[in-house]
Amino acid sequence: PQQTRSPAGAQLNAADFEAVYRRHHSLVLSIASNRLGEVALAEDITNEVFSLAWEHSQQGGTVTLAWLYRTLRNLVANQYRREQRTAQTHRLLGASQSTDQLPDDEIHDALIIRNAMAELREKDRELLMMAYWDDLTRTEIAGILGCTSVTARVRLTRARRRLLAKLGIGAQQKGHRDE
């Protein structure tokens, strides 16, 4: 099963928590690595996720894949904010950040997609990030969302359509009829 639950108010013992860790560690680390791009940082964040999960379980909380994912997402967001503050500090101090790594057209395309993603609802953004950034399977996405694989596929299809609409790529251009 994708979820490991402790009875309401019961603490997970060390063996049960170890099973949760073994079952989900590689997936959480993979998502962290994809989102952060640095293995050492991803390992640190993953360790923090499981440290918080242990504390949560010892307070009687339920540790599920969805709970682990939400915790990871929050920790990654905190890391992004730290990096933004650092970048702002460097700009204020006159340090330049290079954008020479990507050709101009790739930077332009990335900005267009980023802006379109920002206009989507948070749930749609998360689905698209899970599928295309984190490269999760529908089964893994379903486990995180607590739904069936079919429901995850339908939600992903709808989120993808909304993103294409934001990008100005209509259903007619894709050879589909409007529903």
Side-chain angles (χ1 to χ4, degrees):
Q2 287 292 318
Q3 300 180 359
T4 301
R5 295 184 183 272
S6 55
Q11 297 176 348
L12 282 178
N13 64 36
D16 291 338
F17 187 79
E18 187 176 334
V20 170
Y21 180 86
R22 278 195 311 269
R23 184 176 303 123
H24 300 301
H25 179 268
S26 62
L27 178 61
V28 172
L29 179 59
S30 173
I31 294 169
S33 294
N34 285 338
R35 297 246 174 142
L36 297 167
E38 294 179 40
V39 174
L41 183 57
E43 289 172 345
D44 289 345
I45 295 288
T46 300
N47 288 337
E48 191 171 350
V49 166
F50 283 98
S51 177
L52 291 169
W54 173 254
E55 290 174 20
H56 181 69
S57 74
Q58 295 309 294
Q59 296 169 358
T62 302
V63 177
T64 63
L65 180 57
W67 188 93
L68 293 170
Y69 182 81
R70 279 191 310 273
T71 303
L72 173 63
R73 183 181 62 194
N74 292 337
L75 293 173
V76 167
N78 290 344
Q79 180 62 32
Y80 285 163
R81 284 189 287 275
R82 274 192 292 280
E83 289 174 1
Q84 285 176 336
R85 285 191 302 269
T86 299
Q88 288 172 345
T89 301
H90 284 285
R91 281 192 296 276
L92 289 173
L93 296 175
S96 65
Q97 291 196 310
S98 174
T99 57
D100 296 337
Q101 297 117 350
L102 293 174
D104 287 341
D105 57 339
E106 288 184 32
I107 293 171
H108 183 263
D109 291 347
L111 289 173
I112 289 171
I113 292 170
R114 174 180 268 178
N115 289 338
M117 289 283 286
E119 293 177 13
L120 293 173
R121 297 179 316 177
E122 183 178 351
K123 288 182 178 186
D124 287 343
R125 277 194 309 271
E126 275 303 313
L127 267 171
L128 293 167
M129 291 289 287
M130 284 189 256
Y132 298 108
W133 183 262
D134 298 330
D135 202 27
L136 300 181
T137 66
R138 277 187 290 217
T139 303
E140 292 167 332
I141 293 170
I144 290 168
L145 298 177
C147 64
T148 67
S149 184
V150 172
T151 301
R153 180 183 55 81
V154 169
R155 290 179 185 175
L156 182 58
T157 298
R158 290 176 181 163
R160 192 180 307 118
R161 282 184 192 153
R162 287 188 278 270
L163 176 62
L164 290 173
K166 296 284 184 193
L167 291 170
I169 302 170
Q172 288 91 4
Q173 291 174 324
K174 300 285 291 173
H176 296 93
R177 290 188 337 211
D178 287 335
E179 296 180 279

